[in-house]
Amino acid sequence: MSKSYRYTQGTQVWQFSSLAELMARATPARSGDRLAGVIARSAEERVIAQMALADVPLKQFLNEALVPYEQDEVTRLIIDRHDATAFAPIAHLTVGDFRNWLLSDTTTPEKLAQVRAGITPEMAAAVSKIMRNQDLILVAQKCRVTTRFRNTIGLPKRLSTRLQPNHPTDDMNGIAASILDGLLYGCGDAVIGINPATDNVAQATRLMRLMDEVIRKYDIPTQSCVLTHVTNTLECIAQGAPVDLVFQSIGGTEATNSSFGFNLNTLAEAQDAALQLKRGTVGNNVMYFETGQGSALSANAHHGLDQQTCEARAYAVAREFNPLLVNTVVGFIGPEYLFDGKEIIRAGLEDHFCGKLLGLPMGCDVCYTNHAEADQNDMDNLLTLLGAAGCSFVMGIPGSDDIMLNYQTTSFHDALYARRVLGLGASPEFEHWLERMQIMTEAASMTLNQQLPPAFSASLKALPANSDTGVKHG
């Protein structure tokens, strides 16, 4: 049931026509909401909207769907999966009260875990809009989410990395060299994940076989993923390819996901197919999702919502399928949606907070495009803040420059910096492997071996060329 919202200050009355409008006006400024025409018309209106939003009962989000239930399967998922028992301890709170409860010292990681199934994405988005950056960091750090496939991701005082060895022509030797480079810097425990330059089933299978060969050869406790469309991965599985994780970019509305070429049934089919392979050794979280503020707007599928609320709704889709990894590619879509370093940093902290609050193993691609008003110093700031906030994983790319996707992100060196400065380690299984392979003499303190470890130098030239992958060794 939709209603209008009023807020009186002195003799002036502010009117918001719906909860969706109130949420949008309360959102910290960003270029995407300006493009969509939903941004607050002044800083004063933004503050008033935040004050009015703080007074909204959490129960209202169960009564007023921001996207109609009858029109959107994501809304139906959110409402139908809501756990009233988990919601009960916070059901009496307003959005402002909820913020105070989250920040309280008595609200422990255990209490947060108990209520997460009762928190809807819209509740998480709403409370984030009235929180400072330090609030987002503090609460996210208290949210503990652990997932497993061939290693354990998300434990306290750990920061995992996706080793991203993309190549503009999918050259197998170039990809293999980047994988080796990343491993020698202690990266790759979240996943070795490749964005294919040529996106088809045959090429995805070649890349899967390359990564599987490396993982099996060196007995690496990690997992691989080709970031191809979910329907391609289903075909790869049908053809017997070595699929570890199923990837898909997801959005927060049914129309967004339709523009991506899938629905919830497609994801369920893919999850079931991957589970049947039983390739995990310590767990069975087989899905990998990527999101990003602005995707619904760029697809003209945002239903008049602000982009951060749409982003939080995507986390309901992710949560349904128990993923190993979820990350927001925070600055990838461009300055039309997040204009500069300040907006990218704020969005990254919001996304991470909302994802962790909803129970997701949340990582972040700390990134920007070359035409954004941002630079690597902004990314250093966001990386450090996310590390303090308990981020599950970040990207690791040679030199921080993705030469295939043409954007700037975090390098192998950046991940080492964050681990050293913040006292973080890799996943425990991967850390033991780094020590066993003599890549790091003291993995817990991220002390790199200064020479090529014997396990690699002795075997690189001994490996024969593989006719399936086309990789030449030596």
Side-chain angles (χ1 to χ4, degrees):
M1 181 183 299
S2 181
K3 57 174 281 190
S4 62
Y5 296 82
R6 294 162 57 92
Y7 193 87
T8 302
Q9 185 184 46
T11 60
Q12 187 169 3
V13 177
W14 299 77
Q15 188 86 19
F16 303 95
S17 62
S18 66
L19 186 54
E21 181 183 6
L22 177 62
M23 293 269 282
R25 300 286 195 236
T27 305
R30 63 207 58 193
S31 55
D33 292 339
R34 185 175 295 107
L35 181 65
V38 301
I39 195 171
R41 289 158 290 197
S42 66
E44 182 181 14
E45 184 184 40
R46 180 173 299 109
V47 171
I48 292 295
Q50 290 170 341
M51 295 168 71
L53 182 60
D55 290 338
V56 174
L58 291 180
K59 289 180 179 178
Q60 184 61 22
F61 292 95
L62 302 175
N63 299 324
E64 185 174 350
L66 302 188
V67 181
Y69 183 93
E70 299 77 14
Q71 299 176 18
D72 188 89
E73 69 173 357
V74 177
T75 298
R76 293 194 290 275
L77 178 69
I78 291 168
I79 298 300
D80 295 347
R81 289 289 189 269
H82 183 256
D83 188 329
T85 301
F87 182 58
I90 57 173
H92 62 290
L93 301 178
T94 65
V95 173
D97 295 331
F98 187 37
R99 172 188 175 273
N100 294 338
W101 183 83
L102 290 170
L103 290 169
S104 171
D105 287 342
T106 61
T107 301
T108 61
E110 293 73 24
K111 286 186 178 180
L112 289 168
Q114 289 168 4
V115 302
R116 64 175 49 140
I119 302 170
T120 68
E122 292 87 349
M123 294 175 194
V127 75
S128 76
K129 296 176 191 300
I130 63 169
M131 297 174 82
R132 291 171 54 186
N133 286 1
Q134 67 171 248
D135 300 338
L136 300 174
I137 293 168
L138 177 60
V139 177
Q141 196 275 335
K142 292 197 291 185
C143 296
R144 307 284 167 75
V145 183
T146 305
T147 55
R148 294 175 176 86
F149 189 76
R150 291 199 188 99
N151 59 18
T152 306
I153 297 169
L155 293 171
K157 304 302 290 182
R158 304 280 177 174
L159 176 64
S160 295
T161 55
R162 170 187 161 193
L163 202 171
Q164 187 170 318
N166 295 345
H167 194 280
T169 64
D170 285 341
D171 178 79
M172 292 294 170
N173 287 297
I175 290 171
S178 292
I179 291 174
L180 175 62
D181 191 23
L183 292 172
L184 292 177
Y185 278 102
C187 291
D189 53 332
V191 64
I192 303 174
I194 301 174
N195 298 89
T198 303
D199 193 2
N200 57 51
V201 172
Q203 184 66 0
T205 299
R206 291 181 69 216
L207 294 170
M208 289 171 185
R209 287 176 176 163
L210 166 63
M211 291 184 287
D212 186 58
E213 177 186 348
V214 172
I215 289 171
R216 286 189 294 107
K217 170 65 182 178
Y218 296 107
D219 193 24
I220 309 172
T222 190
Q223 37 282 328
S224 68
C225 184
V226 174
L227 281 70
T228 187
H229 194 271
V230 61
T231 55
N232 285 346
T233 304
L234 273 167
E235 183 61 29
C236 290
I237 292 173
Q239 295 183 11
V243 173
D244 288 344
L245 304 183
V246 175
F247 169 81
Q248 184 56 48
S249 295
I250 59 174
T253 67
E254 179 178 347
T256 305
N257 294 330
S258 294
S259 76
F260 291 162
F262 75 93
N263 58 28
L264 298 180
N265 287 335
T266 316
L267 297 180
E269 180 185 358
Q271 182 188 35
D272 183 65
L275 287 170
Q276 294 303 314
L277 299 178
K278 295 181 169 56
R279 291 176 59 84
T281 56
V282 297
N284 60 359
N285 299 112
V286 297
M287 305 298 282
Y288 174 19
F289 297 119
E290 285 189 347
T291 68
Q293 288 194 28
S295 60
L297 176 57
S298 67
N300 194 29
H302 60 105
H303 294 269
L305 302 184
D306 66 272
Q307 65 185 33
Q308 191 256 336
T309 298
C310 283
E311 169 73 6
R313 284 170 53 92
Y315 303 155
V317 176
R319 183 163 65 171
E320 177 71 4
F321 298 99
N322 300 313
L324 180 76
L325 306 167
V326 180
N327 72 272
T328 169
V329 193
V330 66
F332 182 73
I333 302 182
E336 299 85 357
Y337 304 94
L338 296 169
F339 180 72
D340 57 15
K342 182 175 182 179
E343 291 187 7
I344 291 171
I345 289 170
R346 174 68 191 188
L349 295 176
E350 289 171 346
D351 295 351
H352 179 255
F353 161 83
C354 288
K356 290 289 286 294
L357 187 62
L358 293 167
L360 292 176
M362 204 69 192
C364 184
D365 191 342
V366 179
C367 64
Y368 64 100
T369 57
N370 288 317
H371 62 309
E373 291 294 321
D375 59 27
Q376 211 63 43
N377 287 326
D378 295 312
M379 299 306 101
D380 288 349
N381 292 343
L382 179 53
L383 172 63
T384 306
L385 294 172
L386 286 169
C391 186
S392 292
F393 70 104
V394 295
M395 307 301 117
I397 295 179
S400 77
D401 183 5
D402 191 312
I403 58 175
M404 193 277 281
L405 292 174
N406 292 309
Y407 77 116
Q408 305 299 311
T409 180
T410 46
S411 70
F412 305 141
H413 303 76
D414 294 334
L416 280 177
Y417 147 77
R419 285 171 172 171
R420 284 173 173 161
V421 167
L422 299 171
L424 306 174
S427 72
E429 299 91 342
F430 194 78
E431 208 169 65
H432 294 154
W433 178 82
L434 292 172
E435 291 181 341
R436 177 165 56 85
M437 296 296 285
Q438 300 179 46
I439 292 172
M440 291 186 172
T441 54
E442 297 178 57
S445 60
M446 293 289 111
T447 303
L448 283 172
N449 193 327
Q450 297 303 302
Q451 297 179 341
L452 187 65
F456 285 94
S457 59
S459 60
L460 282 175
K461 293 183 180 181
L463 282 170
N466 185 304
S467 59
D468 288 331
T469 62
V471 177
K472 297 176 181 177
H473 303 283

